[in-house]
Amino acid sequence: MIDPGYFITFEGGEGAGKSTQIRLLAETLRAAGHEVVVTREPGGTPLAEAIRGLLLNAGDPPDAMTQALLFAAARHDHVTRVIRPAMRAGQIVLCDRFTDSTRAYQGEAVAEDALEATILLGTAGLVPDLTLLLDLSPEAGLGRARQRGAAGDAFERADATYHTRVRERFLALARREPDRILVVEADRPPEVVAASIRALVEAHSAIDLAGAGA
Ligand code: Z5A
């Protein structure tokens, strides 16, 4: 059965503006009369939020395969309890990070076939309808996060070349799946980025952004 809802994920490096843009798109969609669920990964359920705490606050981070398995466990709980039910109810789900983050971050150290196996188990086959990749240099993104006063989680503390390779892996994923993953230049003022995102959603989905309430 095809779910009547729609699933949009936001991806990109640290500080790229994903949370900001999800909030702005959710406002636009709600004003147009849509029911919207905003969620995030790792997280979105009490169990997955607990796993998030284990992963992001680890003083001695586990190896990448252990991370991938924990992300998959968190994701399975999130997909089955939150994302799928919302889509069955015809809602639009906006999710801050999803499987492409696993590919971009854990893909550094886990072989592709093993990583894809964890992803398939975690998602039970769910693939986003649309993914917006907010592309920004790691220097700019980490600078924004530091300005905000973030303490820096286990991933942020990785060296700058690691974040550059993460960015390259995200862009390679977009080249591999150009119909699903759309690259958005994130080094522009938030309202300009938001306008680009609205235009992309209008052009690449059947979602009506004008709606009765707009
Ligand atoms: N991870 C993984 O390894 N594998 C996985 O499968 C998954 C995740 C799912 C989760 O971090 C970490 O988990 C992540 C990868 C790993 N680590 N890293 N790095 P997170 O979700 O907590 O952190 P984040 O995604 O990097 O969130 P963030 O720092 O909050 O970034 P953001 O949501 O993209 O940005 P923002 O909060 O909207 O904006 C950041 C600041 O910039 C803020 O002060 C804004 O006001 C400002 N901002 C936003 N937009 C702009 C523009 N356009 N111009 C100027 N300033 C702006």
Side-chain angles (χ1 to χ4, degrees):
M1 192 192 91
I2 297 174
D3 292 320
Y6 203 83
F7 182 30
I8 303 179
T9 59
F10 285 68
E11 297 279 9
E14 168 75 10
K18 299 176 296 299
S19 318
T20 303
Q21 294 303 325
I22 285 178
R23 182 174 48 74
L24 295 173
L25 183 60
E27 281 171 12
T28 300
L29 291 168
R30 287 179 180 132
H34 298 285
E35 280 190 59
V36 181
V37 172
V38 171
T39 188
R40 70 170 181 182
E41 289 214 344
T45 68
L47 176 69
E49 291 290 335
I51 294 175
R52 177 188 180 90
L54 291 175
L55 278 161
L56 301 193
N57 304 326
D60 178 19
D63 67 30
M65 187 64 199
T66 307
Q67 290 173 20
L69 292 166
L70 286 167
F71 281 117
R75 184 166 297 139
H76 196 268
D77 197 51
H78 188 207
V79 166
T80 53
R81 288 179 198 256
V82 175
I83 301 177
R84 276 279 191 213
M87 291 178 70
R88 282 200 192 105
Q91 296 170 338
I92 298 173
V93 179
L94 304 182
C95 188
D96 193 337
R97 297 192 181 278
F98 196 62
T99 44
D100 297 307
S101 281
T102 307
R103 296 183 175 104
Y105 288 88
Q106 283 65 54
E108 168 99 345
V110 180
E112 191 177 345
D113 54 350
L115 197 61
E116 290 300 328
T118 71
I119 287 172
L120 188 60
L121 289 171
T123 58
L126 178 67
V127 177
D129 294 301
L130 192 64
T131 296
L132 297 158
L133 170 57
L134 301 193
D135 182 50
L136 184 68
S137 73
E139 297 75 24
L142 291 167
R144 282 184 192 174
R146 281 190 199 113
Q147 259 186 355
R148 194 184 45 185
D153 62 38
F155 293 90
E156 289 161 37
R157 289 193 297 270
D159 65 76
T161 59
Y162 171 77
H163 288 289
T164 299
R165 293 194 299 277
V166 166
R167 182 191 194 186
E168 285 164 2
R169 274 193 295 278
F170 271 129
L171 291 171
L173 291 168
R175 286 193 294 275
R176 202 197 290 177
E177 287 190 68
D179 292 338
R180 173 176 71 84
I181 306 178
L182 309 177
V183 181
V184 180
E185 172 49 62
D187 197 10
R188 297 177 293 170
E191 58 282 6
V192 177
V193 177
S196 291
I197 287 175
R198 283 197 300 275
L200 288 171
V201 170
E202 280 203 297
H204 292 265
S205 77
I207 297 173
D208 177 9
L209 289 187

